[in-house]
C-alpha cells in the first residue's frame, strides 16, 4: 500500500509510520509541518528504509497538498496532523481552527480532486482515513460509554475543532462520494509522547524531583490506550474498514488521573531510588477551565467487525512507557531543555491569580 500520512512526526503518526514501514512493508510519504510537537527524530527507525519518505509541508497549503498527492499517487491518505493539546487550545485557539479545520478542508479538497481523476479500479480502492478523538462526544457522567452513535457535544476549543473536521469529512463523503473512514480514539500513551501531556509530564517531573501537577481533585477519568495498539487499530481500519463508517477505539482502561499519577510514582520508585517516595511530589493545582469529567469508549464495533483487540493492559503499557522514557533521554532531554520545560499551560488570567497549590503526602 502507498500511504500519504499527515502528522507522521508526531506521537501517534510516528507509531503508525513505524508499523507501516517496518512491519507492513508499506510505502509511506509523511507530510508534516514540524510544529513544536513534530520531531523527525521520532522517525529515526524509518529513515533510510525503502518505502519511507518525508516532506515538510503545511496541510493548509492546498496547492502543495494537491501536488503531493499527484506526485506520490497514494492508495490511501491517513490524516493525523492536528494541533492536539487541549490546554494550548484554551489560550490559543487560532492555530487549532487553522490546522484542524482549514487544514482538514485542504486535505479533503486535494483528495477529492485526486480521487476524481483516478482510474476506476484505483478509484474504488482509494480511502481517506480521518483520525479523530473521543473528545468530540463531550463529557460522561459516572456510567456509560461513548460509541459510534453518541451525539457530538464538544466542549473545548480543541474538541470543537476536531468535531468540525469530523463533520467536514462526513460531508465530503455524502456530497462528493469521497470514500472516507473516521476513527475516534480515547487517550493514548507510550513512547515519543510530547512531554506536555499528563503521562510523560509526570514521568519526567517525577524523575527530576519536581512537583507533579494534578488538576482539580484528580478525580477526572480517562480511558487509556497504548499507542502501538492504536496504531494497529488504524492500520486495520484503513485496510479493512467499511467506507463511510466510524469506528470508536479505546483501551477499556478507565483510570482516575490521581491513580495514574500515583502508579507512575510507585513504578518509578521501584526503578530509580529517590530520597523520598515520589507520591510526596503530587500537587493539586487549579483545574483546567471546562475540564471534561470522564471519557470511556465502547470499542465493541471494531472488535466484532474488524477483529482488532488491544494487546497491552494499562499495567503492562505504563510499565513499558516508563522503561522507554528511562532508556531514551536522547529523545526527551532536548525537548525539555529547548521546547517545553513543564510550565503550566491553559490557565485563564483569573484562574492564574487564584492558583494556590496544596502539597499532599
Ligand atoms: P501530536 O501533537 O503529537 O502530533 C501532531 C503532528 O501534526 C505533529 O508532528 C505536527 O508537527 C503536525 N502538524 C501540526 N500542524 C500541522 C500542519 N498545519 N501541517 C502539517 N503538519 C502539522 O498529536 P498526536 O497526539 O500524535 O495526535 C495525532 C492525531 O490523533 C490528532 O489528529 C489527534 O487529534 C488525534 N488523537 C490523539 C489522541 C491522543 O491521545 N494523543 C487520541 C485520539 C485522537
Ligand atoms: O481523549 C483523547 C484526547 O486525549 C486527545 O484527543 C488529545 O489530543 C490528547 O491530548 C488527550 O487529551 P486530554 O486532555 O485528555 O490529555 P492530557 O494529557 O492533556 O490530560 C489528561 C488528563 O490529565 C486530563 O484530565 C487533564 C489532566 N492533567 C493534565 C496535565 C497536562 C493533569 O491533571 N495535570 C497535567 O499537568
Amino acid at each position: 500500500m502507498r500511504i500519504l500520512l499527515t502528522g507522521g512526526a508526531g506521537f501517534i503518526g510516528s507509531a503508525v509510520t513505524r508499523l507501516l514501514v517496518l512491519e507492513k512493508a508499506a510505502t509511506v510519504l509523511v507530510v508534516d509541518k514540524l510544529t513544536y510537537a513534530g520531531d523527525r527524530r521520532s522517525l529515526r527507525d524509518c529513515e533510510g528504509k525503502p518505502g519511507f519518505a518525508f516532506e515538510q509541508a503545511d496541510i493548509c497549503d492546498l496547492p502543495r497538498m494537491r501536488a503531493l498527492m499527484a506526485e506520490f499517487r497514494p492508495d490511501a491518505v491517513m490524516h493525523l496532523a492536528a494541533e492536539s493539546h487541549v490546554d494550548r487550545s484554551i489560550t490559543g485557539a487560532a492555530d487549532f481552527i487553522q490546522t484542524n479545520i482549514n487544514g482538514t478542508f485542504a486535505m479533503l479538497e486535494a483528495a477529492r480532486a485526486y480521487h476524481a481523476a483516478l482510474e476506476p479500479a484505483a478509484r474504488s480502492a482509494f480511502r481517506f482515513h480521518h483520525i479523530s478523538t473521543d473528545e468530540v462526544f463531550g463529557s460522561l457522567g459516572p456510567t456509560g460509554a461513548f460509541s459510534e452513535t453518541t451525539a457530538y457535544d464538544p466542549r473545548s476549543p480543541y474538541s470543537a475543532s476536531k468535531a468540525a473536521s469530523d463533520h467536514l469529512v462526513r460531508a465530503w463523503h455524502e456530497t462528493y462520494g469521497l470514500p472516507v473512514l473516521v476513527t475516534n480514539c480515547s487517550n493514548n500513551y507510550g513512547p515519543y509522547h510530547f512531554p506536555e501531556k499528563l503521562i510523560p509530564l509526570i514521568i519526567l517531573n517525577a524523575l527530576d524531583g519536581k512537583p507533579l501537577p494534578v488538576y482539580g481533585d484528580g478525580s477526572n477519568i480517562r480511558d487509556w490506550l497504548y499507542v502501538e495498539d492504536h496504531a494497529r487499530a488504524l492500520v486495520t481500519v484503513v485496510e479493512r474498514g467499511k467506507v463511510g463508517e466510524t469506528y470508536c477505539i479505546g483501551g477499556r482502561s478507565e483510570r482516575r488521573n490521581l491513580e495514574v499519577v500515583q502508579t507512575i510514582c510507585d513504578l518509578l520508585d521501584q526503578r530509580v531510588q529517590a530520597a523520598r517516595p515520589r507520591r510526596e511530589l503530587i500537587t493539586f493545582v487549579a483545574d483546567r477551565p471546562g475540564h471534561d469529567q470522564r471519557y470511556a469508549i465502547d470499542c465493541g464495533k471494531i472488535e466484532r467487525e474488524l477483529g482488532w483487540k488491544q494487546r497491552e493492559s494499562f499495567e503492562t503499557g505504563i510499565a513499558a512507557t516508563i522503561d522507554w522514557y528511562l532508556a531514551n533521554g536522547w529523545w526527551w532531554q532536548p525537548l525539555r531543555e529547548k521546547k517545553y520545560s513543564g510550565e503550566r499551560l491553559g490557565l485563564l488570567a483569573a484562574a492564574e491569580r487564584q492558583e494556590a497549590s496544596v502539597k499532599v503526602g
Side-chain angles (χ1 to χ4, degrees), residues 141-218:
T143 57
F146 301 132
S147 77
E148 291 77 9
T149 55
T150 304
Y152 276 49
D153 182 24
R155 297 149 54 100
S156 74
Y158 163 70
S159 55
S161 70
K162 290 296 291 187
S165 68
D166 291 11
H167 292 322
L168 291 176
V169 172
R170 305 228 134 273
W172 261 241
H173 174 61
E174 298 296 337
T175 306
Y176 305 112
L178 189 69
V180 307
L181 298 153
V182 177
T183 49
N184 295 90
C185 188
S186 64
N187 284 64
N188 285 215
Y189 67 101
Y192 301 102
H193 204 182
F194 191 84
E196 63 190 350
K197 308 282 169 39
L198 177 71
I199 287 182
L201 177 74
I202 296 299
I203 295 173
L204 301 186
N205 275 12
L207 272 177
D208 283 351
K210 289 186 176 164
L212 309 179
V214 172
Y215 297 173
D217 62 3

Side-chain angles (χ1 to χ4, degrees), residues 12 83-87 132-136 158 162 185-188 193 195-202 205 212-216 218 220-224 257-258 261 285 287-288 291-293 295 340 342 344-345:
I12 300 170
E83 288 292 337
S84 69
H85 193 37
V86 174
D87 287 336
S132 192
T133 170
D134 62 355
E135 299 202 9
V136 298
Y158 163 70
K162 290 296 291 187
C185 188
S186 64
N187 284 64
N188 285 215
H193 204 182
E196 63 190 350
K197 308 282 169 39
L198 177 71
I199 287 182
L201 177 74
I202 296 299
N205 275 12
L212 309 179
V214 172
Y215 297 173
N220 303 69
I221 292 175
R222 298 293 182 263
D223 176 0
W224 294 98
N257 291 341
L258 183 57
V261 174
V285 297
D287 210 351
R288 171 185 281 175
H291 197 175
D292 288 341
Q293 181 58 35
Y295 304 146
Y340 173 65
R344 177 72 197 262
L345 298 170

Side-chain angles (χ1 to χ4, degrees), residues 12-80:
I12 300 170
S14 67
V16 179
T17 304
R18 282 190 295 279
L19 175 60
L20 286 168
V21 171
L22 304 177
E23 290 180 38
K24 298 268 173 187
T27 301
V28 179
L29 173 65
V30 166
V31 176
D32 198 295
K33 183 178 173 182
L34 296 179
T35 66
Y36 81 92
D39 193 330
R40 240 185 120 154
R41 296 175 313 138
S42 304
L43 291 165
R44 79 168 185 177
D45 295 348
C46 298
E47 300 281 355
K49 293 281 185 295
F52 173 73
F54 184 91
E55 190 75 28
Q56 185 171 1
D58 188 335
I59 58 162
C60 303
D61 183 346
L62 177 55
R64 186 94 185 269
M65 294 305 114
R66 282 204 167 113
L68 287 174
M69 285 192 205
E71 279 161 32
F72 180 67
R73 307 202 65 71
D75 301 315
V77 171
M78 295 180 81
H79 175 40
L80 291 95

